């Protein structure tokens, strides 16, 4: 599991490398179980971490699933800080998603 930056916004984003990594990370970060079945291609979880900091955890098997799960993160971050994701023809959303995709690579 590795951390990606949400700069300039607060919070933490972790990217799990496998289903096992996701399940262990979920238990560590949120103190609850989230078991993935064999058909699960991706998962997004966001909430207050055990240390009180807003935390996101994602798992994705394929690049298109990674884009999908990271979109959930960006939309939620924007909602928390009051940014309209379609402002300026969606440029703030597109910029942040492309940066996260680049960082995840």
């Amino acid at each position: 599991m590795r951390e990606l930056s949400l700069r300039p916004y607060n919070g933490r984003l972790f990217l799990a490398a496998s289903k096992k990594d996701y399940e262990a990370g979920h238990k560590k970060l949120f103190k609850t179980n989230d078991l993935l079945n064999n058909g699960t291609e991706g998962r997004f979880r966001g909430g207050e971490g055990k240390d009180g900091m807003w935390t996101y955890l994602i798992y994705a098997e394929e690049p298109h699933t990674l884009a999908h799960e990271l979109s959930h993160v960006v939309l939620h971050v924007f909602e928390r800080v009051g940014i309209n994701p379609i402002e300026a023809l969606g440029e703030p959303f597109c910029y942040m998603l492309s940066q996260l995709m680049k960082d995840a690579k």
Side-chain angles (χ1 to χ4, degrees):
M1 186 170 65
R2 63 188 174 109
E3 187 170 1
L4 305 180
S5 174
L6 289 174
R7 66 187 178 280
Y9 309 105
N10 66 354
R12 298 178 304 187
L13 168 58
F14 294 95
L15 177 60
S18 66
K19 288 179 182 180
K20 279 187 126 170
D21 193 31
Y22 174 89
E23 291 170 353
H26 194 280
K27 182 72 170 177
K28 179 181 176 186
L29 295 170
F30 300 110
K31 292 193 171 191
T32 61
N33 290 321
D34 187 13
L35 304 177
L36 304 180
N37 64 39
N38 288 337
T40 303
E41 292 183 16
R43 178 84 91 203
F44 156 83
R45 285 291 181 250
E48 188 176 321
K50 67 180 181 181
D51 60 0
M53 189 172 194
W54 196 265
T55 303
Y56 299 98
L57 173 62
I58 63 168
Y59 163 70
E61 290 183 355
E62 300 290 339
H64 67 277
T65 308
L66 179 62
H68 176 101
E69 302 304 340
L70 287 173
S71 293
H72 286 299
V73 172
V74 175
L75 289 169
H76 193 262
V77 167
F78 281 12
E79 180 181 0
R80 286 183 27 241
V81 299
I83 295 174
N84 181 346
I86 61 169
E87 180 179 300
L89 298 174
E91 190 63 24
F93 172 85
C94 294
Y95 176 80
M96 187 165 180
L97 178 60
S98 65
Q99 186 62 49
L100 289 172
M101 290 290 293
K102 183 178 174 182
D103 293 348
K105 189 176 178 184

